[in-house]
Amino acid sequence: MLQPSPLPATGEVFLDARGGARSLRVTWHPDEQEPAGTGIMVLSLWRHGVCSGTFRLAVEDVPNLIDVLRSGLQHAYTASKAR
């Protein structure tokens, strides 16, 4: 039997809109060093308590990710108001 993984101490868990026990975990690891950085953010995909993949993003690249998310949200909001 699989043991559930603990929730991240520094981060957040987002549930997938499709259900199926899918989630995205965002965790911060300030002590881990990338070649040119001061830590990383890890995005991990989970299903039924098992990690199926990770993506390590250097802290200095996080603002660009936030800008893309903000821009997409603004576009979606504007498009929904136009309907």
Side-chain angles (χ1 to χ4, degrees):
M1 173 188 272
L2 293 174
Q3 293 296 319
S5 297
L7 296 177
T10 57
E12 188 64 62
V13 175
F14 300 93
L15 301 179
D16 191 301
R18 297 171 293 178
R22 296 177 186 99
S23 62
L24 168 71
R25 293 186 184 186
V26 179
T27 55
W28 291 94
H29 302 271
D31 296 335
E32 290 193 40
Q33 300 294 314
E34 289 298 304
T38 58
I40 59 168
M41 178 179 75
V42 177
L43 302 166
S44 55
L45 298 173
W46 292 76
R47 187 162 188 183
H48 298 289
V50 178
C51 181
S52 61
T54 62
F55 184 89
R56 297 165 60 100
L57 186 64
V59 168
E60 57 266 13
D61 293 329
V62 172
N64 292 334
L65 174 61
I66 292 170
D67 288 344
V68 167
L69 293 172
R70 186 182 306 116
S71 175
L73 179 60
Q74 180 62 43
H75 177 73
Y77 178 75
T78 302
S80 71
K81 286 185 76 174
R83 293 183 194 155

